[in-house]
Amino acid sequence: MSSHPLLSDLPDPVILESIEALRGKGSRFVRVRSTDGAEGLAPASERLDYLYPLFQQRVAPYFIRKDARSLAHLVEGVYLHQSNYKLAGIAFWCCVGWIDFAVMDLLGRIAGKPVWQLLGGQRRDTVPVYLSSMRRDTTPLEEVAWLEERVAATGARAVKVKIGGRMSDNADASPGRSEELIKLARGTFGDDFTLYADANGSYDAAHAVAIGQMLEDYGVVMFEEPCPWEAYSQTQHVTQALRVPVAGGEQDSGWYRFKDMVSHHVVDILQPDLDYNGGFLRTLRVAELAAGSGMPVTPHSPRSDANWVTLLHFVPCIPNAGPYHEYNAAQVGRPVPCEPSMQVLNGEVAVPNGPGLGLTHDAAILKALEAY
């Protein structure tokens, strides 16, 4: 990975002195400090609870006493350090990603710029969202009514529903649920409303094609992860057989996997996850790869609260962003213990303009944080 232009904004070295994993009151953070006292703080997911030994023993020490301005090189170097490539996968890259986020917050605060600007992003005030439902334990009627309330509250113009049973070998969550759900959603939201469907790898290729044809009949415009994520040839077959765009990539974290997915047109829409793929810089590289082939990128990001902020900084940095981006529908109306609140207004969420990640966290939460 080449060095990044952010170096030109920071002429003086920024040497990392400490990297800490913190938790308290249901929150998790990674905090980095430089030798001159500057600080960066980034939210982390609940996975930090069980990934902490990997974070603390194999990842964080590599970054200490190194220049944060060389983050692009460091993110690649930690992969080779002490044969860490033997630990490759989501667990390893999440640990790297949380450090990437915290270092970018640090660099942005030093430069007095939001992360999206430091990374060369273009000015945009908002990110349009689709409300993403995470549930399969509802009836179609319950699910559509629940989403209808949240669409009314937010002005969202797109939703994503769960179909199939999640890695379920063609079984539905309940008999006939997927077909009835799609039919009811289209009838409820109308022909001009954007519908996405996520199968979470529920089908083999033949069954996925049949389901995809049903989705086409109802004007669904994204069919996410129809086949098990490792089954690239099956997914490619589905992509080639259908008109509805097929999406995938959320579970992937290897550069050569993404390169094959793009060059062999395994999917129509790429969905890297900023956590799972190791942070801003690695995911920007994937987005650039997709852009070179005219492939849109709609990152996997079903997070809530402060963890969602990374998506708001990432989208302005890519020219091939999809029309809508994932927002956990369960978060609608919930208080968020930080500013800005990242709530949906008129179907969009405001992009932070403050330095770094641009978040101000609740003082009580920060006071309660303690080391793992």
Side-chain angles (χ1 to χ4, degrees), residues 57-287:
Q57 297 172 30
R58 306 292 301 188
V59 179
Y62 174 80
F63 290 83
I64 301 299
R65 293 182 295 279
K66 293 185 174 68
D67 190 344
R69 299 176 306 163
S70 299
L71 183 60
H73 293 298
L74 298 180
V75 165
E76 292 306 300
V78 71
Y79 182 59
L80 300 177
H81 180 64
Q82 296 183 343
S83 298
N84 277 337
Y85 62 86
K86 294 182 182 294
L87 304 172
I90 287 175
F92 176 78
W93 287 113
C94 274
C95 295
V96 177
W98 297 323
I99 293 174
D100 172 293
F101 301 149
V103 171
M104 288 304 306
D105 185 58
L106 168 74
L107 296 176
R109 290 179 183 278
I110 293 172
K113 296 181 179 181
V115 166
W116 63 262
Q117 186 178 2
L118 200 62
L119 292 174
Q122 300 299 307
R123 171 69 260 167
R124 62 185 297 167
D125 295 327
T126 60
V127 170
V129 302
Y130 66 84
L131 300 184
S132 181
S133 174
M134 308 294 165
R135 303 182 64 180
R136 289 183 169 89
D137 61 343
T138 54
T139 67
L141 189 61
E142 291 169 338
E143 182 70 0
V144 170
W146 184 83
L147 282 168
E148 192 175 15
E149 290 177 357
R150 282 150 182 79
V151 167
T154 62
R157 301 179 292 277
V159 300
K160 184 176 78 177
V161 297
K162 296 287 190 178
I163 60 174
R166 182 181 289 273
M167 303 287 283
S168 58
D169 195 22
N170 294 334
D172 209 342
S174 57
R177 179 182 183 276
S178 296
E179 290 84 351
E180 182 59 28
L181 175 59
I182 295 298
K183 178 181 178 181
L184 184 59
R186 177 53 74 206
T188 299
F189 295 115
D191 292 341
D192 294 332
F193 194 85
T194 296
L195 287 181
Y196 297 155
D198 184 359
N200 289 116
S202 292
Y203 311 122
D204 61 26
H207 199 75
V209 169
I211 292 292
Q213 290 168 341
M214 179 271 293
L215 298 178
E216 290 174 348
D217 290 342
Y218 287 101
V220 173
V221 294
M222 187 173 78
F223 186 10
E224 182 175 339
E225 213 170 47
C227 304
W229 71 272
E230 310 99 323
Y232 297 108
S233 61
Q234 290 190 48
T235 302
Q236 182 187 49
H237 174 83
V238 177
T239 299
Q240 293 175 347
L242 294 174
R243 298 189 311 277
V244 57
V246 172
E250 70 175 77
Q251 318 292 353
D252 292 281
S253 58
W255 167 252
Y256 292 105
R257 297 274 194 172
F258 281 116
K259 190 173 182 180
D260 284 346
M261 291 179 75
V262 172
S263 62
H264 297 296
H265 203 148
V266 174
V267 294
D268 300 298
I269 301 167
L270 209 57
Q271 294 181 295
D273 183 290
L274 283 152
D275 277 37
Y276 303 169
N277 190 51
F280 286 116
L281 299 182
R282 293 188 87 242
T283 311
L284 281 172
R285 188 182 180 204
V286 171

Side-chain angles (χ1 to χ4, degrees), residues 124 262 268-270 272 283-299 314-325:
R124 62 185 297 167
V262 172
D268 300 298
I269 301 167
L270 209 57
T283 311
L284 281 172
R285 188 182 180 204
V286 171
E288 290 167 1
L289 173 71
S293 294
M295 184 179 289
V297 169
T298 303
F314 180 79
V315 172
C317 296
I318 59 174
N320 52 332
Y324 300 103
H325 297 276

Side-chain angles (χ1 to χ4, degrees), residues 305 331 333-337 343:
D305 292 354
Q331 183 60 31
R334 289 182 180 176
V336 181
Q343 290 296 318

